[in-house]
Amino acid sequence: MNGIKISVRQIALTGILTGGLLMFTNCISTDGKFSENNGTWVDASLPSLYETYSEHFDYVGLAAEYGNFGLKQNGSNKYTASYTADGYWGRPNELYYSDVLKGISRHANTITLGNELKPQFVLGWWAPGTGDENDFKTVKFTGTNGVTIDVPASFGNEKLIYATLNAAKSAGVKMRGHVLTWHSQTPDDFFAENYSAKSDNNFSTLSNPVSKEVMTARHEWYIKSLLECVAAWEKENGYGMGNHLIWAWDVVNEAVADDGNPDGNFYRGSTSGTRNKGPANGGSRWYEIYNSNEFIINAFRFANKYAPQDVELCYNDYNEYQAGKTEGIIKLLQAVQNAETVNPSAHGVEALSARINVMAMQSHVGVSYPGVASYKSALEKFMDLGLNIHVSELDFSAASQEEAAAAYGEYFSMFQDYGNKSGLPQKIECVTIWGINNQNSWINPAVNYSKKDAAGNFEKYQSYPLLFDLIDNNPATIVNVPVTGGSIRLPKWDEGDSYKPNASFNAVIRALKS
């Protein structure tokens, strides 16, 4: 049937057997070719995305949002309790709702949270000087470097961690943890004395950063505490060795600069375009404090110490296919692989060795750039280091649905050449689409960085980056989004809305190789 896999699960859902062949209503036309489905993404007639590719990739995933809002704990055990919105602040999003979880369960066997496991959301503390000092309590922590520091008594947003894990469990999917160490979306207070950031230059740099030694202890405390939170939740919810809900972590994210020179400075914070700049302008507080890659090596040491050994540790970056940046990333990966084991025996702790298993290629690509050949070149260089590949944040900047569909078909055809059937010592083991629907993608509208409008601004246009479109059942939430020459009307997701497959979804299904 044109290479489309049929699972027992799909047979049970459709119950339609004709002449020994399962017919996908509205999905298989009379000439036997796959055609566009006119229903929703949970229709029994629609092929499952991850089941279709189960022989090629261990995981096929979707990124989704849960939302950051007030949560009520329902039950005395925080690890097994359910969590519901308390109505106090914020707004639930996709993963909070059972209808969305049904679709995710249908098409993915792993998810990535867009925001909720980033340090900005995990920490959620009230820092001194904000008027809420009484909510910020500290305890002592001694790092493996022997430095004793004050750390927050608990994560300020711990309920959100457990609520998102619960959502994944209820959908029957696993999760890529995203992300432990990142220059962006990490509070400046985390890097400052007394957890209260100060600056003399509008926060391009900090005037009161902590020392490297203190920051290393804080870094260890954060990674240790978050991984122990997840481990405790997993233990109470029936997960364990060989069966983790979070099966991989992005340990470090986007630490190589776009303007770097792999023969010299290439880390974010070391280059002319990122030096002495705050994270919002491309800089890195991590590099500001360390002035070296020490924090990157530390991150993989701490993750290796506190994560289960069967959980994969990843480096994640974008523009990973640009020649100069590819070489910079390779040097970063090699630095982690070749890092010496630290044996702080004077402090009575075990040796710390770095571990890295995966290069996670974000893959925010265009329909014509970098092109499959350039992408493959970078992919093969990373695999040559003995690392598996995660395509971790796939989407396309495309000016039309037809362009997007053609690109999805071309890339998925190529991905399979490096999957489970390739026979290669390393492989692409996971492909994650960065979002669910076109209308709510971070990339919409897209920016054309090669062309400016009459006012000198980069052109913006409606894009078609993802596999589904929003079925908007609440038109009141439609918003006008400015683009060059006018605006586009994009609905926002609300409870009761759904999704339907678009031409890109169909192209991915058609791209399956036997």
Side-chain angles (χ1 to χ4, degrees), residues 173-199:
V173 298
K174 296 191 176 185
M175 185 188 294
R176 294 187 75 259
H178 180 74
V179 52
L180 295 176
T181 305
W182 193 22
H183 68 277
S184 185
Q185 288 189 262
T186 303
D188 277 352
D189 293 331
F190 187 53
F191 303 94
E193 294 178 350
N194 300 317
Y195 297 104
S196 183
K198 295 179 173 58
S199 173

Side-chain angles (χ1 to χ4, degrees), residues 252-281:
V252 177
N253 197 42
E254 300 176 2
V256 173
D258 292 321
D259 64 332
N261 178 352
D263 294 329
N265 296 327
F266 61 88
Y267 289 109
R268 182 181 298 275
S270 70
T271 68
S272 58
T274 63
R275 189 181 296 114
N276 299 325
K277 291 183 177 180
N281 292 315

Side-chain angles (χ1 to χ4, degrees), residues 1 9 84 106 121 127 215 286 299 320 385 425-426 459 506:
M1 293 187 60
R9 176 181 178 185
T84 52
R106 183 77 195 286
F121 293 85
M215 197 66 231
W286 290 104
E320 68 281 4
L385 298 178
Q426 277 70 47
E459 285 192 349
N506 301 333

Side-chain angles (χ1 to χ4, degrees), residues 7 9 96 108 112 180 246 273 298 373 404 408 415:
S7 70
R9 176 181 178 185
Y96 184 78
T112 303
L180 295 176
I246 296 186
N298 286 343
Y408 265 109
F415 290 156

Side-chain angles (χ1 to χ4, degrees), residues 292-314:
S292 73
N293 68 357
E294 183 180 346
F295 71 94
I296 297 170
I297 308 300
N298 286 343
F300 283 96
R301 285 175 175 147
F302 298 146
N304 186 39
K305 176 177 173 62
Y306 296 110
Q309 290 300 297
D310 58 338
V311 167
E312 298 188 343
L313 305 183
C314 317

